[in-house]
Amino acid sequence: DAYSLRAAENVEAKMSIAQKALGFLDNGRSIYLDAGSTMMYLARLIPDEPFSILTSGINIALELTKKAKMTIYHTGGQLNQNSLSSSGPTSMSMLDFINIDIAFMAASGFTLENGFTVSNFFECELKKAVMKKAKKVIMMVDSSKCNRVLAFTFGTLCDVDILISDANLPQAVVSKANELGVK
C-alpha cells in the first residue's frame, strides 16, 4: 500500500529526525502526534511516561498502546488509507476538549512559496487547527519533502517554533528559518 511504500523511503533521515524530536518532550505534557511515517519512528521512541497524547494516526495510536503509562486519544473521523490518518468534522470537535502543549507535525510537501502542504482538505483543516491550538509547534520534515507542492497549504515557517530535518535541507530554507527565528 501507499503508506508502506512511503515508510520505506528515507528511513535513515526519518529515524534521525525522530531521535532529535525526542529531545523536545517534557514529562506530563499534553502532546499531539501527527500522522505519518516519521511520526511512527517518534512514537516508537517515546518513553513510557505519563504523557497525554492525541494523534490522528490510527497506526500511531496502536503503537502507543504498547506503553502502559500513557493516556492515548485518537481524533476519530474519516480514515485516509493513504496516510492512515483520520480527519474531518468529528476530529475537529475533539480539539475543543483537549489542550496541546507540543504539536509534532508532518507535511507531505514544503516550499518557501507555498508553505507546508498536504493532498487532503480535511487533513489540512485539522493540521491548521492543531497548530493554532498548540503552545509549541515542531515541524518534522525530511528534505525529500522540499520542493514538493500538494493541493492544500496548512502552514508556513512563520507558524512553526522548531523545524527538524536532515542535513540535505536547502540553504534557502535554513536561511529563511533563521531569519524568522525558527529554531
Side-chain angles (χ1 to χ4, degrees), residues 6 37 45 50 56 73 92 94 97-98 120 144 146 149 181:
R6 255 197 338 279
S37 51
L45 291 174
S56 59
Y73 301 93
M92 294 295 281
M94 181 69 179
F97 306 105
I98 200 155
N120 181 291
S144 74
C146 289
V149 179

Side-chain angles (χ1 to χ4, degrees), residues 32 56 86 91-92 95 122-130:
Y32 179 82
S56 59
S86 299
S91 58
M92 294 295 281
L95 292 181
F122 287 135
E123 280 183 47
C124 172
E125 292 302 293
L126 179 62
K127 288 173 187 279
K128 267 190 213 172
V130 165

Side-chain angles (χ1 to χ4, degrees), residues 127-135 137:
K127 288 173 187 279
K128 267 190 213 172
V130 165
M131 288 170 65
K132 223 175 243 140
K133 187 133 192 185
K135 289 183 189 144
V137 175

Side-chain angles (χ1 to χ4, degrees), residues 35-129:
S37 51
T38 307
M39 291 300 152
M40 180 55 99
Y41 289 108
L42 179 57
R44 288 179 183 139
L45 291 174
I46 292 175
D48 189 6
E49 298 295 335
F51 296 115
S52 287
I53 299 184
L54 172 65
T55 184
S56 59
I58 199 156
N59 57 331
I60 290 165
L62 287 170
E63 179 66 29
L64 293 173
T65 62
K66 297 174 184 173
K67 301 168 199 264
K69 295 178 187 169
M70 288 183 190
T71 306
I72 303 148
Y73 301 93
H74 186 260
T75 58
Q78 182 179 353
L79 183 64
N80 177 340
Q81 281 115 315
N82 191 35
S83 63
L84 300 181
S85 71
S86 299
S87 57
T90 324
S91 58
M92 294 295 281
S93 67
M94 181 69 179
L95 292 181
D96 294 339
F97 306 105
I98 200 155
N99 296 310
I100 302 170
D101 292 316
I102 306 170
F104 291 93
M105 303 300 295
S108 301
F110 174 73
T111 64
L112 288 173
E113 303 75 33
N114 297 90
F116 299 102
T117 60
V118 287
S119 60
N120 181 291
F121 174 75
F122 287 135
E123 280 183 47
C124 172
E125 292 302 293
L126 179 62
K127 288 173 187 279
K128 267 190 213 172

